[in-house]
Amino acid sequence: MSFAQKARYNFMKDLGAPALMWLRQSQRKKRPRKPNPYLGPPLKCAGRLREIMTRHYYLSRFSKGAKPVAWVTSGAPVELLRVFDFYTIYPENHGALCGAQKKGPEICSEAEKKGYHPDLCSYARIDLGHAFSGKTPAGRLPRPDLLFCANNICQTVLYWYKELSYYWNIPLIIFDTPYNFQDIREKDIEYMVCQFEEMIPELERISGCKYSHDRFMKIIGIARESASTWGRVLATMKHRPAPISIFDAFVHLAPIVSLRGLPIALDYYRILLDELEERVAKGIGAVTNESKRLMWDNIAVWFKLRDWSLLFAERGLNFVAATYTNAWAETIHYLDEMSPFESMARAYSLVVLNNSLNYRLKLMEQMIRDYQVDGLVILSLRSCKPYSVGQYDLRRLLGERLGIKSVVIESDMTDFRAYSEEQTRTRLEAFFEALEV
Amino acid sequence: MRLWRFKGLSMTYFAGIDIGSLTTEVVILDSNADMLSYSINLTGADCNEAVDQALGQALSRAGLSRDQLSFIVATGYGRVTIPFSDKKITEISCHGTSAHHLFPDTETVIDIGGQDSKVIRIDKEGKVLDFTMNDKCAAGTGRFLEVMAGAFRVSLEDFGQLSLKAEREIPISSVCTVFAESEVISLIAQNQAREDIIRGLHSSVVNRIWNMVQTVGVHGAVTMSGGVAKNRGVVVLMEEKLGKPIHIHTEPQIMGALGAALLAKRHFLQEK
Ligand code: SF4
């Protein structure tokens, strides 16, 4: 790491980024948004979130050479990387950003031009497309020194990260989490702990930093606290009316995904939680007239977030639970300073997508009860096969057991070429008719 | 059509308009839910023009004018484009309502339209419990049969009858309409009996729908709606699969509009 690059990074961190934030903020004030009659008042801390994420992407372009840079999958045990001070970029989060800015098809086709199939996950296509063309709405992303991938979410990430590793000729570390057909086995935990032990010397070599156990324990503590606070944020939606909606949570998820293990994520969720508790006390809902409560299954459709939050709110429908946002609160609280490696293995291999459908069924059943859910919207994603498989069975079983009404819609989370407005609207409206709203 | 009906002052009239991608249908009902008239027109490029034409036709057949209609419900993909409807309701609820009205023992509705197909499960009151749709692909829709009938240069009416005359069935392996068409052309070139190929094509549609039927499950009596319900080839094969007869209205294409008109009446009374 060169001194000049470090100095430039620190300068941008302390002066450049704050100046940019100030500039953006002052521009924004000039065009205040009209309040919407169906939606509650906007969250006060939304501005802070925007600032944190913009700063994260902005600073990333100065990180190269100043810090070791890693590209990481959303389900990877990033806490270990934090010990070595890696600047982490989450291609999936970047994919969501591209999706929200309606850039999915454009960047995906950069990968398709090179022969990657349109049936491949669009996060992978966006990331590869960005790697080949440099296209991104985030300005510029730093090229990684390390790729870090865990197969607890899907097998796609393995091949996707192997492609990047080959293309740039950079090291790839794979964390292999055996699938839990039933309860997790002690032998599997041992196997995962061995992998962590093997990773440490490699991470030391790539980053040029020494492993510090004290630092690791501290990071584990922060990550656990952040996940628990995020869990409490989500739990505020058990109240009627729910102070936020899942559409908000999809956006506020960014720090727990991308900045997990850093104090900034924890600080942010504490502010958010305070604000939500205040809303609960005052009876302020995310939807002005909450009449029915819904649950969402699968990743968000990033390019439809705004439209849909209105479409549902107009009918007094609020999404109060989602298996997706829950994933970061569900198991990370297992992290324990007393047994950091074992607990990390447990936390990361027990995530919803690494478990059987039966586990998911029970989880959904529990959430439907806890959050008093009246209806279920199931998104079948063209991209994400592990999330979408078995949804018809889950739907049937939940219907039989709980009598819950549901609808299946089809789309992709970023590539809107796989989305049809008319057809989705017909399905959703039929669902509204069944719910009598 | 009861053009002779006495239209007293106390009578209220309701219209259901179903604007599909291929055709637009209108049904006019009186306050007893008796059908006074209906019309079927091609939608074409201009939705509003098609609606004006279809509605005008149905109204003149019923001897009514537009201002005599108390409540209008629009359904189908074009429902949002009609500015003057009192309510917009999805075709899923409409098909469920009309199937229940005509055949009260119905619990499963199979609707095969020009551009999409759906299977709807309703309860004993005609309320929708579940549904599944094929709206991504022409396979399993009327459009598939239309393209294939074109390849044989026979009319759609004859197409279904020819399927019934087959001695055996030549399976068509391609699901995709475009690929299936070239498969058919090569089978014709091999001098295979055309009835046998046609039976294979009908089976392909029925198999596709059958998968959807199984997703929703077969419950109670089955009613079929949509233009394809007029095709005996499809109906006979579907009945074989189901192991029971299917209810079909004499004009299955207007079931969406009929459901819309019935719901117009219901909403009018509720609002009153
Ligand atoms: S396949 Fe699913 S889990 Fe895997 S990267 Fe894509 S969206 Fe994520």
Side-chain angles (χ1 to χ4, degrees):
Chain A
M1 313 288 138
S2 87
F3 176 75
Q5 279 160 324
K6 271 191 185 159
R8 187 171 73 134
Y9 174 80
N10 285 331
F11 174 80
M12 293 318 290
K13 181 167 149 255
D14 299 333
L15 294 168
L20 178 84
M21 296 306 129
W22 178 83
L23 202 73
R24 290 242 167 127
Q25 194 57 32
S26 56
Q27 280 172 343
R28 193 161 283 120
K29 271 189 195 135
K30 286 175 199 148
R31 40 186 169 88
R33 201 178 276 158
K34 259 206 316 227
N36 185 295
Y38 302 107
L39 297 174
L43 286 168
K44 282 183 243 154
C45 60
R48 175 78 185 120
L49 174 72
R50 211 178 300 120
E51 198 182 302
I52 292 174
M53 293 315 293
T54 314
R55 186 167 178 272
H56 172 65
Y57 277 107
Y58 176 70
L59 267 185
S60 75
R61 63 181 83 160
F62 305 103
S63 61
K64 187 75 188 161
K67 279 173 164 244
V69 176
W71 283 17
V72 188
T73 60
S74 63
V78 71
E79 292 75 9
L80 192 57
L81 262 56
R82 302 260 181 250
V83 181
F84 303 91
D85 203 25
F86 275 92
Y87 202 102
T88 52
I89 292 291
Y90 279 78
E92 291 152 74
N93 179 257
H94 174 247
L97 180 83
C98 297
Q101 304 210 3
K102 303 203 167 65
K103 293 267 190 279
E106 185 191 337
I107 306 180
C108 281
S109 36
E110 293 296 335
E112 287 159 27
K113 274 191 225 161
K114 296 255 183 195
Y116 293 89
H117 199 275
D119 281 342
L120 179 65
C121 165
S122 69
Y123 282 165
R125 274 178 294 142
I126 288 186
D127 193 44
L128 292 165
H130 156 261
F132 302 144
S133 68
K135 282 188 186 165
T136 164
R140 194 172 69 235
L141 295 184
R143 188 182 284 195
D145 304 302
L146 167 72
L147 296 159
F148 189 43
C149 151
N151 60 359
N152 52 355
I153 48 169
C154 66
Q155 300 302 310
T156 305
V157 288
L158 276 184
Y159 299 97
W160 158 14
Y161 277 55
K162 275 187 188 168
E163 291 290 290
L164 287 176
S165 165
Y166 176 78
Y167 182 67
W168 277 325
N169 192 23
I170 43 171
L172 162 66
I173 292 181
I174 294 172
F175 175 50
D176 180 31
T177 54
Y179 188 80
N180 301 310
F181 289 96
Q182 280 167 352
D183 290 341
I184 190 164
R185 296 171 304 189
E186 283 310 313
K187 279 264 168 257
D188 292 341
I189 297 188
E190 257 173 56
Y191 166 63
M192 289 183 274
V193 169
C194 286
Q195 295 180 54
F196 291 137
E197 284 162 2
E198 270 180 43
M199 283 174 202
I200 292 177
E202 274 306 300
L203 292 171
E204 285 183 333
R205 188 182 60 77
I206 297 165
S207 67
C209 292
K210 274 263 152 255
Y211 172 74
S212 145
H213 196 66
D214 285 349
R215 196 164 139 82
F216 184 41
M217 293 212 295
K218 228 164 138 189
I219 291 164
I220 288 276
I222 296 177
R224 185 197 47 239
E225 272 315 297
S226 316
S228 314
T229 317
W230 172 244
R232 287 170 64 199
V233 163
L234 295 178
T236 60
M237 283 185 272
K238 287 181 187 165
H239 292 276
R240 275 176 190 267
I244 49 166
S245 87
I246 285 297
F247 291 121
D248 300 313
F250 284 148
V251 178
H252 291 265
L253 183 70
I256 192 77
V257 178
S258 304
L259 306 170
R260 194 168 62 251
L262 295 176
I264 191 160
L266 177 57
D267 294 345
Y268 177 70
Y269 288 124
R270 285 190 175 141
I271 304 175
L272 176 61
L273 182 62
D274 285 346
E275 185 177 345
L276 295 179
E277 281 172 349
E278 191 188 318
R279 277 190 178 226
V280 170
K282 290 185 182 156
I284 301 174
V287 166
T288 346
N289 213 343
E290 181 187 299
S291 67
K292 294 236 161 94
R293 299 155 63 85
L294 305 178
M295 178 155 110
W296 178 271
D297 187 49
N298 219 326
I299 303 174
V301 179
W302 299 108
F303 54 89
K304 290 303 286 181
L305 275 192
R306 275 190 70 75
D307 292 358
W308 284 356
S309 68
L310 264 180
L311 177 77
F312 286 89
E314 277 171 6
R315 291 165 174 83
L317 296 172
N318 193 16
F319 279 93
V320 294
T323 48
Y324 176 56
T325 44
N326 188 54
W328 282 267
E330 206 185 334
T331 61
I332 297 173
H333 63 83
Y334 285 140
L335 292 179
D336 178 6
E337 292 96 322
M338 292 301 117
S339 57
F341 292 111
E342 287 77 12
S343 66
M344 196 155 78
R346 198 177 289 276
Y348 281 96
S349 81
L350 282 174
V351 294
V352 61
L353 291 184
N354 204 40
N355 276 302
S356 67
L357 271 186
N358 205 20
Y359 173 92
R360 196 155 133 204
L361 176 68
K362 284 196 194 130
L363 174 76
M364 289 171 85
E365 235 182 307
Q366 190 61 42
M367 287 174 76
I368 289 170
R369 290 211 177 90
D370 290 352
Y371 287 82
Q372 308 140 57
V373 170
D374 304 298
L376 176 61
V377 177
I378 296 176
L379 168 68
S380 173
L381 269 187
R382 187 187 170 110
S383 272
C384 192
K385 284 82 182 170
Y387 218 140
S388 306
V389 76
Q391 282 177 317
Y392 280 91
D393 290 317
L394 289 172
R395 171 179 190 231
R396 179 177 49 80
L397 289 167
L398 288 170
E400 281 167 15
R401 293 187 187 180
L402 304 173
I404 189 152
K405 297 222 163 86
S406 57
V407 64
V408 179
I409 52 174
E410 290 164 27
S411 180
D412 185 86
M413 61 270 186
T414 66
D415 186 350
F416 49 81
R417 290 171 297 180
Y419 168 75
S420 160
E421 180 78 30
E422 290 303 315
Q423 290 150 355
T424 311
R425 202 184 44 215
T426 298
R427 291 184 191 202
L428 286 177
E429 283 182 9
F431 177 58
F432 299 151
E433 286 162 13
L435 282 177
E436 293 170 9
V437 289
Chain B
M1 271 173 272
R2 301 196 183 167
L3 298 181
W4 61 90
R5 196 178 181 90
F6 171 68
K7 294 183 283 293
L9 283 177
S10 61
M11 267 300 190
T12 39
Y13 304 97
F14 308 100
I17 311 178
D18 180 358
I19 312 106
S21 42
L22 285 183
T23 52
T24 296
E25 293 92 19
V26 174
V27 165
I28 311 250
L29 295 184
D30 66 14
S31 48
N32 299 320
D34 283 334
M35 183 155 71
L36 298 184
S37 70
Y38 69 83
S39 68
I40 304 174
N41 280 268
L42 286 176
T43 304
D46 186 342
C47 233
N48 286 319
E49 200 184 297
V51 169
D52 281 342
Q53 207 178 14
L55 185 60
Q57 228 172 58
L59 283 168
S60 82
R61 283 177 190 163
L64 295 171
S65 62
R66 204 187 270 196
D67 49 14
Q68 283 175 280
L69 295 173
S70 304
F71 206 97
I72 302 175
V73 165
T75 186
Y77 281 133
R79 65 186 178 280
V80 283
T81 56
I82 307 183
F84 55 81
S85 67
D86 297 292
K87 199 164 175 67
K88 302 176 201 322
I89 298 179
T90 63
E91 53 274 34
I92 295 153
S93 299
C94 291
H95 281 279
T97 305
S98 59
H100 173 76
H101 174 78
L102 295 169
F103 310 104
D105 58 345
T106 304
E107 286 180 52
T108 308
V109 185
I110 302 175
D111 169 53
I112 314 180
Q115 301 274 12
D116 69 10
S117 41
K118 35 192 161 306
V119 178
I120 307 159
R121 188 177 158 208
I122 53 175
D123 67 8
K124 301 231 155 59
E125 268 88 56
K127 269 217 232 148
V128 176
L129 291 176
D130 195 3
F131 66 91
T132 181
M133 288 173 88
N134 161 36
D135 46 19
K136 286 266 184 298
C137 164
T141 70
R143 184 78 191 135
F144 179 84
L145 289 173
E146 207 181 300
V147 171
M148 297 309 152
F152 283 97
R153 297 181 204 289
V154 298
S155 72
L156 263 176
E157 290 71 46
D158 296 344
F159 203 52
Q161 292 303 330
L162 284 170
S163 160
L164 295 177
K165 291 197 186 124
E167 283 178 4
R168 65 191 187 104
E169 176 182 319
I170 298 178
I172 306 293
S173 50
S174 309
V175 176
C176 164
T177 309
V178 178
F179 293 164
E181 192 181 5
S182 33
E183 198 176 328
V184 162
I185 289 169
S186 75
L187 287 170
I188 297 174
Q190 290 164 26
N191 274 331
Q192 300 282 5
R194 80 180 173 156
E195 288 79 5
D196 299 350
I197 310 174
I198 293 175
R199 166 74 73 95
L201 288 165
H202 281 75
S203 266
S204 148
V205 171
V206 169
N207 288 339
R208 192 76 190 193
I209 306 284
W210 182 241
N211 290 342
M212 291 163 59
V213 171
Q214 282 174 314
T215 312
V216 174
V218 185
H219 305 267
V222 180
T223 296
M224 205 155 143
S225 62
V228 176
K230 279 185 169 173
N231 177 317
R232 286 302 299 163
V234 168
V235 175
V236 167
L237 287 175
M238 187 55 91
E239 284 179 335
E240 270 173 26
K241 288 244 181 226
L242 287 164
K244 54 180 161 190
I246 298 176
H247 294 310
I248 298 171
H249 182 52
T250 42
E251 204 51 91
Q253 246 180 305
I254 61 165
M255 297 268 292
L258 173 62
L262 289 164
L263 289 169
K265 179 179 166 229
R266 189 181 302 168
H267 283 282
F268 175 74
L269 295 178
Q270 266 170 15
E271 283 182 20
K272 237 169 77 170

